[in-house]
Amino acid sequence: MGLFSLFTREIAIDLGTANTVILHDNKVVVDEPSIIAIDSRTKSVVAVGKKALMMEGKTSGEIYTVRPLRNGVIADFQPTELMLREFIKMTNTKHSLITPAMKMVICIPSGITEVEERAVRESAEQAGAKEVRLIYEPMAAAIGSGIDVLDANGNMIIDIGGGTSEVAVIALGSIASKKSVQVAGDRLNTDIKEFMRREHNLDIGIPTAEQIKINVGAAITQLDNPPADYEVYGRDLVHGIPRSIMINYQEVATALNNSINAIEDAVMQALNVTPPELSADIFKTGIYLAGGGSLLRGLDKRINKITQLPVHVVEDPLRAVARGTAIALKNLDKFESLTKY
Ligand SMILES: Nc1ncnc2c1ncn2[C@@H]1O[C@H](COP(=O)(O)OP(=O)(O)O)[C@@H](O)[C@H]1O
Ligand SMILES: [Mg+2]
């Protein structure tokens, strides 16, 4: 290890609405939900990540939890900074006495405004970064999915995260067409919550809705390998007491139908504005699905049905963006034009 690398730490950050993933030396050093618990009296951090997630929906009094990046934008500057700072601290596993200078590549949603971009950059600098580069999410997702983004051959990538679904066509190192909608994992959770209330008179919290989605979520009502029915606990809206019921994937598919339609619309719109030469490429290469939302059962089939194109869910889709960000960091000379200061 050279002297330089002793004092400079290079990290790649996927600052997602749902999860923050940080890679250092090709290793995942942080993989935590993007949530923070704060004490309103002292404005100090009570917990971040998984620990803060366990408190969600259960806090009272002075302690509250925030997801600072809801909807893919920085709604709250201060909690974002606090959260980022805590996550960056976690990367200092050697507990070295000297704080190394840090070089970071941070992945940001492509629909972010300049003000929000500055907020991310400043948060990183406040957290100790000496050099910060930003990369857009679809680009990072594509690189992390093994797509040769600098090639002339066009590829379509869909990244379905917590707050946004981003559809992009990438060729020659740039985004040729894109479409972003604020319908993604979070919306699916509220769909499930509303469905349970409407159809079953059962009030559930968002964490429970998330568990339903992961255990019995589906985008289609005919699955080849259906998951077993799932027991849901909540509060009965008529009697006000705790109750449980069994839910099957077909019900969840019905609950999610409108939101999946909205994602499909975004894909169709992106295809409609894609230049013809790139369209021809996509006809052959198909569509790549990344982000946690791509794990929804049958979503690939459904997108295949409407577009008539081959659809591939990329390997380890929850970490594709972080992987791509790390590759960009390692090969900054090659990917220089894809990142920005
Ligand atoms: N097995 C699964 N099925 C459906 N959705 C999932 C699954 N696993 C994770 N998700 C969803 O993926 C989203 C998080 O994906 P991620 O790519 O980390 O988002 P972001 O980039 O916004 O942080 C969450 O909304 C989560 O509920
Ligand atoms: Mg993401």
Side-chain angles (χ1 to χ4, degrees):
M1 195 195 284
L3 200 57
F4 183 70
S5 56
L6 251 183
F7 295 111
T8 309
R9 187 183 305 132
E10 299 194 341
I11 59 175
I13 304 181
D14 168 15
L15 188 59
T17 25
N19 298 297
T20 298
V21 183
I22 305 184
L23 271 84
H24 169 58
D25 270 349
N26 292 325
K27 280 196 292 283
V28 175
V29 286
V30 172
D31 187 353
E32 298 274 344
S34 304
I35 178 168
I36 182 167
I38 294 174
D39 186 324
S40 63
R41 287 162 301 192
T42 57
K43 300 271 176 273
S44 59
V45 179
V46 179
V48 285
K50 295 181 195 89
K51 283 189 196 138
L53 184 68
M54 289 194 302
M55 301 179 179
E56 194 180 32
K58 296 182 179 175
T59 55
S60 56
E62 312 302 335
I63 294 172
Y64 63 97
T65 58
V66 204
R67 294 172 170 273
L69 294 143
R70 198 167 279 292
N71 295 330
V73 297
I74 305 220
D76 261 316
F77 178 71
Q78 240 224 329
T80 305
E81 187 184 314
L82 287 173
M83 185 180 78
L84 196 54
R85 197 191 291 235
E86 292 299 318
F87 285 151
I88 290 169
K89 265 194 216 158
M90 290 180 187
T91 67
N92 191 4
T93 45
K94 293 195 186 92
H95 299 290
S96 43
L97 292 174
I98 37 162
T99 316
M102 280 186 287
K103 179 173 166 183
M104 299 179 191
V105 176
I106 305 178
C107 180
I108 51 172
S110 67
I112 199 169
T113 64
E114 294 224 348
V115 175
E116 289 160 355
E117 222 174 90
R118 210 172 317 127
V120 172
R121 185 184 299 283
E122 281 171 13
S123 293
E125 284 165 358
Q126 287 294 324
K130 293 287 172 289
E131 188 186 339
V132 182
R133 298 269 199 127
L134 304 176
I135 184 167
Y136 286 123
E137 181 150 26
M139 196 56 87
I143 296 172
S145 303
I147 293 171
D148 183 356
V149 295
L150 300 173
D151 194 64
N153 206 27
N155 284 284
M156 176 175 270
I157 178 115
I158 309 176
D159 179 14
I160 305 174
T164 54
S165 295
E166 303 208 24
V167 187
V169 174
I170 293 172
L172 293 168
S174 64
I175 296 174
S177 58
K178 65 170 184 184
K179 178 77 198 163
S180 171
V181 277
Q182 293 194 348
V183 178
D186 292 342
R187 174 70 70 84
L188 303 186
N189 291 349
T190 51
D191 287 344
I192 292 172
K193 182 176 160 68
E194 276 161 26
F195 177 85
M196 295 304 292
R197 173 181 273 273
R198 200 174 57 237
E199 301 294 322
H200 295 288
N201 275 320
L202 194 71
D203 194 15
I204 60 167
I206 291 296
T208 298
E210 166 98 9
Q211 284 309 311
I212 296 174
K213 179 176 69 180
I214 288 170
N215 285 286
V216 273
I220 52 178
T221 49
Q222 291 298 323
L223 284 175
D224 295 336
N225 292 304
D229 293 359
Y230 183 72
E231 186 164 19
V232 179
Y233 300 85
R235 186 172 56 95
D236 187 292
L237 279 165
V238 180
H239 303 103
I241 53 172
R243 179 164 67 91
S244 84
I245 58 158
M246 296 303 288
I247 282 292
N248 63 48
Y249 80 90
Q250 282 155 325
E251 282 184 275
V252 184
T254 309
L256 303 182
N257 192 40
N258 285 342
S259 293
I260 308 290
N261 277 338
I263 296 172
E264 285 182 338
D265 283 349
V267 177
M268 295 310 279
Q269 284 172 32
L271 283 169
N272 280 330
V273 295
T274 299
E277 287 303 313
L278 294 176
S279 263
D281 292 343
I282 295 166
F283 184 75
K284 285 172 261 171
T285 51
I287 297 175
Y288 293 84
L289 274 185
S294 65
L295 291 168
L296 187 71
R297 296 170 186 80
L299 184 62
D300 50 346
K301 267 206 171 149
R302 189 151 158 183
I303 294 176
N304 162 264
K305 195 162 175 216
I306 188 158
T307 60
Q308 297 292 307
L309 296 168
V311 178
H312 326 275
V313 177
V314 310
E315 200 190 320
D316 198 3
L318 277 159
R319 289 180 173 171
V321 167
R323 239 172 13 238
T325 308
I327 294 170
L329 172 69
K330 277 254 147 47
N331 305 278
L332 262 185
D333 41 345
K334 181 177 170 195
F335 294 117
E336 167 113 55
S337 61
L338 311 186
T339 65
K340 49 196 286 191
Y341 282 106

